[in-house]
Amino acid sequence: MTTGDSWRERRRALLRNDPNAHARAQRLLEEMGTEERDDDAVEADHRASRLAAARQYEPNAHLDEELRLRLTGPDTEGGALRFQWGDALLDPVEKAVSAAAGTPVQLELTGLSAGSTVIHARPVAAAYAPDEPALDAPATSATSTGMQTFTRLLDALESEEDIREWSRLFDSVDAVARALDKYALDLDVTWYDANGGMRSARLGERGRQYVGRLRGTRPRDQEITVSGRITELRESGWVKVKTGTAKNAPAYDVHFEDPEVLIRMRPVLGDNVHFRIRFRQRLDAVGIARATEYTYLGQAAEQVALPLDP
């Protein structure tokens, strides 16, 4: 644990043990004409001051980027990271940041500290966004871009807002939420960027429950016709219909709910068929298709010729 972390934990402990301490501190701040700020705001000011002082001597100076993940729960007070937590949590966090950045991002563990379990990490190598000027001002790294988006998504989940604009990140965040639920953990994320800025967000019980509701699916059905030739047959009631002669022509796995219907048709490989199909997609609340089914409804009224290669 760093000196600053140790001091903050002692101060929190004193406030918890003395119910009047907060009121006394509030009165003192009011007398001094100083607004009360949380630790993140104070630390952000310190980082900005350090960076401003460094740039007096080196205009392109920047701070080291760092990611802090604070886990809180029944088994986190010792400040240790259990292997099963790390395996379940860290990989989906990295994948979510990579998806948000639009480029692969690699993170590496640099340390642990107490005050629950605090994981310290950093980018393996700062990949800078190609549209950022590298000479006139410090560049924004891809990791920082990804973290900005990732923390905005976590804020939206905790507030139960519409997150469809971040649908590409949902699977990774869903994996994080499932792991937190499994081990009864809450997650606080803080990102420190190279320009002295900070972004904080949380995925607590409310956000995880919202993720669970978004995970639920609803069916969307439509009737379509599929014309093609049979390339696979299974007695259990499955037929693969390929819609063209080209190697990459679309193919459909059509399910017969009553296999006897398929057997009475006496199909053989290579037969041309024209089926009415129920096309069912199961969509989650984010709009992602989680399952697709093609179910036989009957013969179509007329046959359609197979498309031929040009």
Side-chain angles (χ1 to χ4, degrees):
M1 182 189 300
T2 65
T3 302
D5 287 338
S6 177
W7 178 83
R8 282 192 291 271
E9 289 305 317
R10 289 198 300 271
R11 190 182 72 175
R12 291 190 185 106
L14 289 172
L15 290 174
R16 285 195 299 268
N17 296 331
D18 184 354
N20 298 317
H22 183 78
R24 289 198 302 271
Q26 183 66 40
R27 286 196 300 272
L28 178 61
L29 289 170
E30 290 175 355
E31 292 170 2
M32 296 172 61
T34 306
E35 61 176 340
E36 184 177 8
R37 297 182 300 165
D38 61 23
D39 293 338
D40 284 349
V42 172
E43 189 164 3
D45 277 354
H46 288 171
R47 285 174 57 82
S49 297
R50 291 201 305 271
L51 182 60
R55 285 181 175 170
Q56 292 293 324
Y57 302 95
E58 175 51 61
N60 291 325
H62 62 271
L63 301 178
D64 291 334
E65 295 178 321
E66 183 183 0
L67 171 63
R68 293 186 190 176
L69 307 173
R70 182 185 295 273
L71 301 175
T72 53
D75 301 312
T76 61
E77 294 305 319
L81 178 67
R82 298 187 180 183
F83 279 25
Q84 55 190 358
W85 299 351
D87 183 57
L89 286 167
L90 300 184
D91 182 62
V93 167
E94 185 179 77
K95 287 179 178 176
V97 176
S98 296
T103 189
V105 167
Q106 288 185 304
L107 300 170
E108 59 186 5
L109 186 69
T110 59
L112 293 173
S113 56
S116 298
T117 296
V118 183
I119 303 166
H120 302 264
R122 67 186 177 197
V124 172
Y128 288 94
D131 57 343
E132 292 287 342
L135 297 178
D136 298 334
T140 299
S141 76
T143 307
S144 192
T145 300
M147 285 303 309
Q148 295 287 330
T149 302
F150 180 57
T151 51
R152 286 200 301 272
L153 171 56
L154 296 187
D155 285 340
L157 290 170
E158 282 294 300
S159 303
E160 300 185 14
E161 299 172 9
D162 185 347
I163 66 161
R164 282 176 290 183
E165 66 177 287
W166 301 295
S167 60
R168 70 189 188 282
L169 312 183
F170 183 72
D171 283 349
S172 296
V173 173
D174 184 29
V176 174
R178 288 175 187 267
L180 293 171
D181 279 335
K182 181 177 180 180
Y183 301 116
L185 298 170
D186 291 332
L187 174 66
D188 290 278
V189 176
T190 305
W191 170 250
Y192 302 87
D193 68 30
N195 295 315
M198 291 175 57
R199 279 285 304 177
S200 297
R202 177 177 177 80
L203 187 57
E205 183 176 1
R206 181 183 179 185
R208 298 198 308 274
Q209 289 179 350
Y210 185 46
V211 170
R213 295 198 299 273
L214 294 175
R215 193 186 300 141
T217 60
R218 67 188 188 281
R220 184 178 68 181
D221 294 353
Q222 59 180 309
E223 185 175 321
I224 63 173
T225 57
V226 172
S227 297
R229 60 189 177 86
I230 297 175
T231 58
E232 290 184 28
L233 283 169
R234 281 176 273 175
E235 289 184 358
S236 58
W238 291 90
V239 175
K240 176 167 282 190
V241 179
K242 192 170 184 181
T243 58
T245 57
K247 188 174 182 179
N248 60 348
Y252 298 85
D253 286 317
V254 180
H255 178 231
F256 284 68
E257 293 181 321
D258 182 0
E260 289 296 323
V261 174
L262 176 61
I263 293 173
R264 287 196 297 270
M265 289 173 60
R266 299 181 182 278
V268 296
L269 295 178
D271 277 357
N272 289 334
V273 294
H274 191 54
F275 291 159
R276 288 188 300 110
I277 303 295
R278 183 184 67 219
F279 171 42
R280 169 171 290 174
Q281 286 184 308
R282 300 202 67 86
L283 303 175
D284 64 21
V286 185
I288 302 173
R290 296 301 181 184
T292 301
E293 302 171 359
Y294 302 95
T295 304
Y296 175 81
L297 297 177
Q299 296 280 2
E302 59 185 43
Q303 201 78 2
V304 176
L306 290 175
L308 300 177
D309 293 332

